[in-house]
Amino acid sequence: KGLSAYHGKHWRKGSLKVFVDAAREGRIPAGSVLVVEDWDRFSRRKSSVSHEMLNELFKYDISLGIVRENVIVNRDLLDNDLVLRVRLEVRIENAQEKSAGMSHKLRQVWRLRKKDWDEDGKRFLTKANCPYWCEVGYKEFIPNEHALLIERIFKMRAYEGKGGSAIAKVLNAEDIPTATGKTWTQARVARVLGDERVLGRKLWNKDWKRDGEQPEVSEDYYPRIISEELFNAARRATDDANDRKGKQGGGEKRLNIF
Protein backbone atom coordinates (compact mmCIF):
# COMPACT_ATOMS: atom_id res chain seq x y z
CA LYS A 1 0.00 0.00 0.00
CA GLY A 2 1.28 3.44 -0.93
CA LEU A 3 4.46 2.25 -2.71
CA SER A 4 5.16 3.61 -6.17
CA ALA A 5 4.53 1.47 -9.24
CA TYR A 6 6.23 4.25 -11.26
CA HIS A 7 9.54 3.98 -9.42
CA GLY A 8 9.14 0.24 -8.88
CA LYS A 9 9.17 0.38 -5.08
CA HIS A 10 6.24 -2.06 -4.88
CA TRP A 11 8.34 -4.53 -6.90
CA ARG A 12 11.48 -4.05 -4.80
CA LYS A 13 10.03 -4.02 -1.29
CA GLY A 14 6.24 -3.97 -1.35
CA SER A 15 3.49 -6.57 -1.33
CA LEU A 16 4.20 -7.42 -4.97
CA LYS A 17 7.74 -8.39 -3.97
CA VAL A 18 6.31 -10.58 -1.21
CA PHE A 19 4.07 -12.27 -3.78
CA VAL A 20 6.87 -12.90 -6.28
CA ASP A 21 9.18 -14.19 -3.54
CA ALA A 22 6.45 -16.59 -2.42
CA ALA A 23 6.02 -17.81 -6.01
CA ARG A 24 9.78 -18.27 -6.33
CA GLU A 25 9.83 -20.37 -3.15
CA GLY A 26 6.92 -22.50 -4.32
CA ARG A 27 4.47 -21.22 -1.71
CA ILE A 28 2.10 -20.07 -4.46
CA PRO A 29 1.01 -22.97 -6.66
CA ALA A 30 1.98 -22.99 -10.33
CA GLY A 31 -0.98 -22.04 -12.48
CA SER A 32 -2.20 -19.36 -10.08
CA VAL A 33 -3.39 -15.95 -11.28
CA LEU A 34 -2.38 -12.58 -9.85
CA VAL A 35 -5.41 -10.32 -10.34
CA VAL A 36 -5.08 -6.55 -10.73
CA GLU A 37 -7.73 -3.95 -11.49
CA ASP A 38 -5.75 -2.46 -14.35
CA TRP A 39 -2.25 -2.73 -15.80
CA ASP A 40 -1.05 0.38 -13.93
CA ARG A 41 -1.67 -1.45 -10.63
CA PHE A 42 1.03 -3.90 -11.73
CA SER A 43 3.49 -1.53 -13.38
CA ARG A 44 3.91 2.07 -14.49
CA ARG A 45 7.49 1.55 -15.56
CA LYS A 46 8.98 1.64 -19.03
CA SER A 47 8.10 -1.06 -21.54
CA SER A 48 11.31 -3.10 -21.26
CA VAL A 49 11.16 -3.18 -17.46
CA SER A 50 7.44 -3.95 -17.43
CA HIS A 51 7.99 -6.93 -19.72
CA GLU A 52 10.77 -8.16 -17.44
CA MET A 53 8.34 -8.05 -14.53
CA LEU A 54 5.72 -9.93 -16.52
CA ASN A 55 8.25 -12.57 -17.59
CA GLU A 56 9.26 -13.01 -13.97
CA LEU A 57 5.68 -14.09 -13.23
CA PHE A 58 5.65 -16.41 -16.23
CA LYS A 59 8.87 -18.02 -14.99
CA TYR A 60 6.92 -19.41 -12.01
CA ASP A 61 3.85 -20.26 -14.12
CA ILE A 62 1.87 -17.33 -12.70
CA SER A 63 -0.58 -15.52 -15.00
CA LEU A 64 -1.69 -11.91 -14.73
CA GLY A 65 -5.43 -11.26 -14.66
CA ILE A 66 -6.29 -7.69 -15.75
CA VAL A 67 -9.89 -6.89 -14.80
CA ARG A 68 -10.30 -3.80 -16.99
CA GLU A 69 -9.11 -5.76 -20.05
CA ASN A 70 -11.14 -8.81 -19.02
CA VAL A 71 -8.19 -11.06 -19.83
CA ILE A 72 -5.82 -13.47 -18.11
CA VAL A 73 -2.37 -13.01 -19.63
CA ASN A 74 0.01 -15.95 -19.75
CA ARG A 75 3.07 -16.63 -21.88
CA ASP A 76 1.30 -18.68 -24.56
CA LEU A 77 -1.49 -16.15 -25.00
CA LEU A 78 0.93 -13.24 -25.21
CA ASP A 79 3.12 -15.06 -27.77
CA ASN A 80 0.22 -16.01 -30.03
CA ASP A 81 -2.21 -13.10 -29.77
CA LEU A 82 -0.95 -10.07 -31.70
CA VAL A 83 -3.98 -7.96 -30.79
CA LEU A 84 -3.40 -8.60 -27.08
CA ARG A 85 0.28 -7.64 -27.42
CA VAL A 86 -0.67 -4.35 -29.04
CA ARG A 87 -3.37 -3.60 -26.45
CA LEU A 88 -0.97 -4.38 -23.63
CA GLU A 89 1.77 -2.21 -25.13
CA VAL A 90 -0.66 0.69 -25.33
CA ARG A 91 -1.56 0.16 -21.66
CA ILE A 92 2.12 0.09 -20.71
CA GLU A 93 2.87 3.32 -22.58
CA ASN A 94 -0.21 5.12 -21.22
CA ALA A 95 0.56 4.10 -17.62
CA GLN A 96 4.17 5.23 -17.88
CA GLU A 97 3.39 8.54 -19.59
CA LYS A 98 0.57 9.34 -17.16
CA SER A 99 2.79 8.72 -14.13
CA ALA A 100 5.66 10.69 -15.65
CA GLY A 101 3.26 13.60 -16.19
CA MET A 102 1.94 13.38 -12.65
CA SER A 103 5.50 13.32 -11.30
CA HIS A 104 6.36 16.43 -13.34
CA LYS A 105 3.26 18.28 -12.15
CA LEU A 106 3.99 17.38 -8.53
CA ARG A 107 7.50 18.78 -8.84
CA GLN A 108 6.05 22.01 -10.23
CA VAL A 109 3.71 22.25 -7.25
CA TRP A 110 6.58 21.80 -4.81
CA ARG A 111 8.62 24.45 -6.65
CA LEU A 112 5.76 26.88 -6.04
CA ARG A 113 5.66 25.90 -2.37
CA LYS A 114 9.40 26.50 -2.09
CA LYS A 115 8.95 29.87 -3.77
CA ASP A 116 6.30 30.77 -1.17
CA TRP A 117 8.81 29.97 1.56
CA ASP A 118 11.77 31.72 -0.06
CA GLU A 119 9.88 34.91 -0.85
CA ASP A 120 7.25 35.19 1.89
CA GLY A 121 8.28 32.73 4.61
CA LYS A 122 5.02 30.85 4.02
CA ARG A 123 5.10 27.18 5.02
CA PHE A 124 3.00 24.43 3.46
CA LEU A 125 1.13 23.56 6.65
CA THR A 126 -0.38 20.09 6.27
CA LYS A 127 -0.10 16.92 8.32
CA ALA A 128 1.51 15.14 5.36
CA ASN A 129 4.31 17.71 5.33
CA CYS A 130 4.75 17.51 9.09
CA PRO A 131 7.31 15.35 10.95
CA TYR A 132 5.61 13.18 13.54
CA TRP A 133 7.29 15.10 16.37
CA CYS A 134 5.41 18.24 15.29
CA GLU A 135 1.85 19.48 14.99
CA VAL A 136 0.37 21.92 12.51
CA GLY A 137 0.01 25.33 14.15
CA TYR A 138 -0.82 28.83 12.97
CA LYS A 139 1.74 29.77 10.29
CA GLU A 140 4.26 27.27 11.69
CA PHE A 141 4.87 23.75 12.93
CA ILE A 142 4.90 23.20 16.70
CA PRO A 143 6.84 20.44 18.55
CA ASN A 144 4.68 17.83 20.28
CA GLU A 145 5.36 15.22 22.99
CA HIS A 146 7.38 13.04 20.58
CA ALA A 147 10.11 15.70 20.39
CA LEU A 148 11.45 14.66 23.81
CA LEU A 149 11.69 11.05 22.63
CA ILE A 150 13.68 12.10 19.56
CA GLU A 151 16.09 14.05 21.77
CA ARG A 152 16.48 11.03 24.03
CA ILE A 153 17.32 8.77 21.08
CA PHE A 154 20.07 11.17 19.97
CA LYS A 155 21.49 11.36 23.49
CA MET A 156 21.58 7.57 23.83
CA ARG A 157 23.52 7.41 20.57
CA ALA A 158 25.84 10.37 21.24
CA TYR A 159 26.56 10.13 24.98
CA GLU A 160 25.72 6.60 26.10
CA GLY A 161 27.37 4.77 23.22
CA LYS A 162 24.25 2.77 22.38
CA GLY A 163 23.84 1.58 18.79
CA GLY A 164 20.59 1.33 16.88
CA SER A 165 19.77 -2.17 18.11
CA ALA A 166 20.49 -1.27 21.74
CA ILE A 167 18.35 1.87 21.53
CA ALA A 168 15.49 -0.09 19.98
CA LYS A 169 15.78 -2.68 22.76
CA VAL A 170 15.51 0.00 25.45
CA LEU A 171 12.46 1.64 23.88
CA ASN A 172 10.69 -1.68 23.31
CA ALA A 173 11.41 -2.78 26.88
CA GLU A 174 9.69 0.40 28.09
CA ASP A 175 6.71 -0.24 25.77
CA ILE A 176 7.35 2.97 23.84
CA PRO A 177 5.95 2.52 20.31
CA THR A 178 6.93 4.32 17.15
CA ALA A 179 4.67 7.06 15.79
CA THR A 180 2.73 4.42 13.86
CA GLY A 181 2.36 2.15 16.88
CA LYS A 182 5.02 -0.36 15.79
CA THR A 183 8.00 -1.73 17.69
CA TRP A 184 11.39 -0.11 17.27
CA THR A 185 14.05 -1.69 15.08
CA GLN A 186 17.62 -0.77 14.24
CA ALA A 187 16.45 0.57 10.87
CA ARG A 188 13.77 2.79 12.43
CA VAL A 189 16.25 4.22 14.91
CA ALA A 190 18.70 4.86 12.05
CA ARG A 191 16.05 6.79 10.14
CA VAL A 192 15.51 9.05 13.14
CA LEU A 193 19.24 9.64 13.58
CA GLY A 194 19.66 10.54 9.91
CA ASP A 195 16.69 12.89 9.64
CA GLU A 196 17.94 16.49 9.42
CA ARG A 197 14.43 17.85 9.93
CA VAL A 198 15.24 17.67 13.66
CA LEU A 199 17.57 20.62 12.92
CA GLY A 200 14.75 22.53 11.27
CA ARG A 201 15.85 21.73 7.71
CA LYS A 202 13.51 21.06 4.83
CA LEU A 203 14.79 19.00 1.89
CA TRP A 204 12.69 19.87 -1.14
CA ASN A 205 14.02 17.48 -3.80
CA LYS A 206 14.22 14.15 -1.99
CA ASP A 207 15.23 12.29 -5.14
CA TRP A 208 18.08 14.67 -5.95
CA LYS A 209 20.72 11.93 -6.13
CA ARG A 210 18.69 9.75 -8.48
CA ASP A 211 17.82 12.74 -10.66
CA GLY A 212 21.42 14.00 -10.79
CA GLU A 213 20.58 17.26 -9.02
CA GLN A 214 21.96 19.19 -6.07
CA PRO A 215 20.01 19.08 -2.77
CA GLU A 216 17.73 22.05 -2.14
CA VAL A 217 17.59 22.67 1.60
CA SER A 218 15.81 25.41 3.56
CA GLU A 219 16.82 26.24 7.13
CA ASP A 220 14.37 26.94 9.99
CA TYR A 221 11.40 25.51 8.10
CA TYR A 222 10.61 23.19 11.01
CA PRO A 223 11.22 23.87 14.71
CA ARG A 224 14.70 22.78 15.77
CA ILE A 225 14.25 20.16 18.47
CA ILE A 226 17.90 19.25 19.09
CA SER A 227 21.12 21.21 18.84
CA GLU A 228 23.60 20.97 15.99
CA GLU A 229 26.17 19.79 18.54
CA LEU A 230 24.01 16.85 19.65
CA PHE A 231 23.21 15.89 16.05
CA ASN A 232 26.88 15.93 15.08
CA ALA A 233 27.89 14.01 18.21
CA ALA A 234 25.43 11.25 17.34
CA ARG A 235 26.72 11.17 13.77
CA ARG A 236 30.33 10.94 14.96
CA ALA A 237 29.39 8.07 17.28
CA THR A 238 27.83 6.24 14.34
CA ASP A 239 30.82 6.93 12.07
CA ASP A 240 33.26 5.77 14.77
CA ALA A 241 31.28 2.56 15.27
CA ASN A 242 31.32 1.92 11.51
CA ASP A 243 35.07 2.54 11.40
CA ARG A 244 35.65 0.02 14.18
CA LYS A 245 33.57 -2.56 12.35
CA GLY A 246 35.51 -1.82 9.19
CA LYS A 247 38.88 -2.42 10.83
CA GLN A 248 37.67 -5.70 12.21
CA GLY A 249 36.71 -6.72 8.69
CA GLY A 250 40.08 -5.94 7.13
CA GLY A 251 39.59 -2.22 6.62
CA GLU A 252 36.28 -2.45 4.79
CA LYS A 253 33.01 -1.19 6.21
CA ARG A 254 30.46 -3.96 6.47
CA LEU A 255 26.71 -3.74 6.76
CA ASN A 256 24.45 -6.49 8.05
CA ILE A 257 21.89 -7.02 5.30
CA PHE A 258 19.31 -8.06 7.88
Side-chain angles (χ1 to χ4, degrees), residues 11-109:
W11 180 259
R12 296 194 303 273
K13 61 181 182 179
S15 296
L16 185 54
K17 179 184 185 302
V18 174
F19 178 89
V20 174
D21 287 346
R24 183 182 299 114
E25 295 165 6
R27 291 185 284 115
I28 294 178
S32 296
V33 180
L34 171 64
V35 181
V36 293
E37 178 185 2
D38 203 350
W39 171 263
D40 62 7
R41 300 293 88 194
F42 178 68
S43 175
R44 296 185 182 186
R45 305 169 82 180
K46 293 181 179 180
S47 179
S48 60
V49 181
S50 293
H51 281 291
E52 288 174 5
M53 293 169 60
L54 194 56
N55 284 321
E56 185 73 9
L57 292 186
F58 294 162
K59 188 189 301 182
Y60 309 113
D61 195 17
I62 304 295
S63 302
L64 183 68
I66 307 173
V67 174
R68 191 175 295 273
E69 291 288 328
N70 193 30
V71 66
I72 296 176
V73 183
N74 56 38
R75 192 188 298 277
D76 289 339
L77 185 61
L78 195 62
D79 286 342
N80 295 300
D81 191 330
L82 177 60
V83 174
L84 175 61
R85 289 203 302 274
V86 172
R87 284 165 54 196
L88 193 59
E89 201 61 46
V90 170
R91 286 287 186 189
I92 291 172
E93 290 299 319
N94 287 345
Q96 205 276 330
E97 289 178 6
K98 180 180 178 182
S99 289
M102 289 171 61
S103 178
H104 178 68
K105 289 178 181 177
L106 189 59
R107 290 187 187 189
Q108 289 180 321
V109 169

Side-chain angles (χ1 to χ4, degrees), residues 133-174:
W133 56 84
C134 293
E135 301 293 339
V136 176
Y138 177 68
K139 293 187 177 182
E140 62 183 355
F141 296 103
I142 303 170
N144 60 25
E145 68 277 8
H146 295 295
L148 293 175
L149 175 61
I150 299 302
E151 183 180 19
R152 183 185 175 194
I153 289 173
F154 273 90
K155 286 181 176 179
M156 283 194 283
R157 172 74 276 202
Y159 304 139
E160 299 178 26
K162 288 184 170 63
S165 296
I167 294 173
K169 187 176 181 180
V170 169
L171 299 179
N172 291 332
E174 297 179 12

Side-chain angles (χ1 to χ4, degrees), residues 114-122:
K114 184 176 186 299
K115 184 179 179 182
D116 286 341
W117 168 253
D118 291 339
E119 296 181 357
D120 303 318
K122 182 181 177 182

